[in-house]
Structures are given as structure tokens and as C-alpha cells.
Amino acid sequence: MERVVITGLGFVIPNGIGVLEPWRKLLSAESAIGPITQFDTTEYQVKVAGEVRGFEVEKYLSEKDRRKGRELDRFSAMSVGATQIAMDDSKPELTEEEREGAGAIIGVGLGGLHVIEACHEVIRTKGPKRLTPYFIPAAIANMAAGQVSIIHRLKGPNFCTTSACSSSAHAIGEAAGWIRRGLADLMVAGGSEAAITPLGIGGFSAMMALSKRNDSTSSRPWDKGRDGFVVGEGAVTLILESLTRAKKRGAKIYAEVTGYGASSDAHHITQPAHEGEGAQRAMRLALKDARVNASDIGYINAHGTSTPQGDLQEATAIRHVFGPHAGSVSISSTKSSMGHLLGGAGAVEAAICALALHEGVLPPTLHLHEPDPAVAGLDLIPLQPREKKIKHALSNSFGFGGTNVSLVLSRFES
């Protein structure tokens, strides 16, 4: 099978836009969570989120594509931006013939909430005849992948994975599979979400899933005072390439995608299985696929959402899978810095693992001042980043419906 490497990264996240700026902000141990500015929160209990600030999609569109701005919901626009950043980082220089072996798989959990809510208001106040013809094409979840494929003329596979908060981890695993099997040479893989809307915040609040602290420290995975997650938004794109092609053109290589494991809890629509049984199986499958032992993993970017039960079940799952090595593997949740990007979470966290492998620095878990006694003995990298050279990293993503994904990324060695 062909080996799969990461040759480009693009971030449009609350911590910043680009590649190095978001990484540096993440390592600065500053929270990117703040007051919601996208709508009036007066009647809402939850008033903070991880917003992307200062993003303008027009900066990432060519002159001939500028008109596309009106066709895009925010989730697609951010994905278009992240992909352009990643393409500029990778510089794949595809020939016309190679475009047939290049595709895009972009995970999205909810799709175009912004345009859905805006168009519902048009119908309510002005009637259906005033609806824009761009409504449906802007709202559907696969349009991030569709627009990216059109803009970059990628003629290989083009689709969306939608599996709640595992969506973009599935996208990366599936995209890597196309390359492994020799069916593609380059894949744009990633995720996007833009759910900071009245419906998005209201819906998660109604589930009692969100923190009500309403400050920049609201996302505090494993902390004794955690009370729910914080909604984040953003998009991250990874350029996956066959090692053969990457080496031939002398590409910069951040890391290698070596393992992919997916499972189902088959238990409950929102609550994880007892002792994280489904998460355990996903991690074990990823390790088996990567042909590494649990003791070989140096870092875990945990799902770690800051929910009372979810954090404990993941910690329990890690203890089961890693056994006597559970206390020696370094673990952090970068959701503590930016909130939970929902369908985009798996992509941002896999990309962070790639940078951790490449740079030899592990990002911290913020706001972890008083760890829950149930996670005693785990190395959760509290408050500040840590310099540590690692060979293999594990990224966990778990979602509503009982869906679980684990990815293993490895330091590239020729």
C-alpha cells in the first residue's frame, strides 16, 4: 500500500488564520474564547463561543471566482479559505492529468445554519418568492467539498462525511484510504463548521450540553469545575499526498497518516458507552492499522470536550487501552483554547498532532487548575506547552449517534 503524508496545512480557527499564527497562538496558552458577536445573546444563557474573527473569503478567491462569495454559507467560505492556505503551503502544482487523481473529502456536522436561518426569516417576513436561488446550494453540507473541488479543479472523489463531531476525522481517514489503495495521489481532507447562530447555540443549550460560566475559561477539560463544552467555529484543511509523489517533487512533509480506526457505541444517541467501550475499540483499531503498540504513542490529542461524563469516559477508555503506559503518554485537549469545532474538530486536532510531531512541542490543556480526582495519574499537560520529541500521536474524535474515530499520525521517516 502507498504511504500517506501531510504536505500542507491551512487553519481558519478562533486562534488565528494561516499556519504558523494559529500554532503560535495555541502555544501561547491564551484562550480564543470570548463574547458572541454574531447575534444578540440577551435572551440566551450562553453568551460566549470560539469565534473566527477577521475572516474575509474574498481574500482567498481569484478574480474569476470572486462572485462565489455570494454562493457560500460561512462554513463553506471558511473551508475555501483554509484550503487555499493549505494549497499555498503545499504547492502541489497539479498537471491537468493529475487532477483526475486528486479529490476532496471535507467533513461537516450541521451544514449551513447561517443561510437556513436567514432564508427562513425571508420567508417569514417577505414570502417565498423573495428567496435566493443560492439557498439550497449554500446550505447543503457537501458544498464545502464541492466548491473546493470546483475552485481547484479536482476531478477525483468529491464528497462530505457527516458524522457529528467525528465528521472531519472520518474525512481524513477516508481520504487517506483513497491514496493508500492507489486510487488517488493527492486528497484535500479536512472539516468545517459554523454553528454560532441562534439555532446552534439555542439547540445545544436546550440539551444542557454547554458551559454557563460565560468567560474565556469556560472550556476546561478534566477540571473539577467543568460544566459543559463551548461551541467553536472554523475550518482546517490538510493536503494528503502519496509519499511517492511528495518525494518526487521534494515536498515539505509535516507527518505521516499511519492509522485509522472507526467504531460505533451502539448504545445511545448522546451518551458514551460505559467505560468508553466504543472509544476503546476505535483506538485499538487505529493502533493496529498503524502497526504500533500503545506504548509507542507519545501524545494524545483527546476529544476532551469539557463535559462531566464525556471527559471521564474518554479517560477510562485511555486507561483500558494503554494499561500500564496510561500515565506516561502525554495528553491534552486543545478545545480548552478554542472551543469545540463540532464537525471541524477532528481536522483541527489532527493538524495540531502533525505540527506537534514536526515541531517537537505539545500544546497544553488550558484552565486545568483542579483536575478531577478520577483522572489522577494521567499526564494532561496543564496550562503550558511542553517540548517533547515524539514518534507517534493519536487523535480522538467522538460524536453523537455513538460514532468514534481515532487517527494515528507519525513523524515522517523516509
Side-chain angles (χ1 to χ4, degrees), residues 199-271:
L199 268 179
I201 299 298
F204 283 116
S205 294
M207 294 177 66
M208 308 296 288
L210 302 184
S211 169
K212 297 182 180 64
R213 295 178 70 92
N214 286 321
D215 62 29
S216 63
T217 73
S218 293
S219 181
R220 44 181 56 224
W222 300 299
D223 190 82
K224 194 174 179 180
R226 70 191 182 283
D227 66 332
F229 74 85
V230 174
V231 175
E233 66 174 358
V236 173
T237 296
L238 297 81
I239 306 302
L240 306 186
E241 205 165 340
S242 70
L243 177 59
T244 300
R245 186 180 194 279
K247 288 180 72 173
K248 184 177 180 180
R249 70 182 186 88
K252 169 183 60 184
I253 295 174
Y254 286 102
E256 183 173 355
V257 181
T258 51
Y260 171 39
S263 71
S264 172
D265 285 353
H267 169 68
H268 190 273
I269 58 170
T270 58
Q271 297 301 315

Side-chain angles (χ1 to χ4, degrees), residues 327-340:
S328 58
V329 59
S330 298
I331 307 166
S332 69
S333 171
T334 44
K335 290 181 178 74
S336 59
S337 169
M338 67 189 76
H340 186 359

Side-chain angles (χ1 to χ4, degrees), residues 3-10 19 85-94 179 185-189 237-257 354-355 358 409 412:
R3 290 168 66 182
V4 182
V5 294
I6 300 167
T7 62
L9 298 171
V19 181
I85 293 166
M87 284 291 202
D88 291 342
D89 187 37
S90 176
K91 300 178 177 63
E93 299 177 356
L94 292 163
I179 296 172
D185 290 315
L186 181 142
M187 293 293 294
V188 171
T237 296
L238 297 81
I239 306 302
L240 306 186
E241 205 165 340
S242 70
L243 177 59
T244 300
R245 186 180 194 279
K247 288 180 72 173
K248 184 177 180 180
R249 70 182 186 88
K252 169 183 60 184
I253 295 174
Y254 286 102
E256 183 173 355
V257 181
L355 284 167
H358 191 257
L409 279 70
F412 173 68

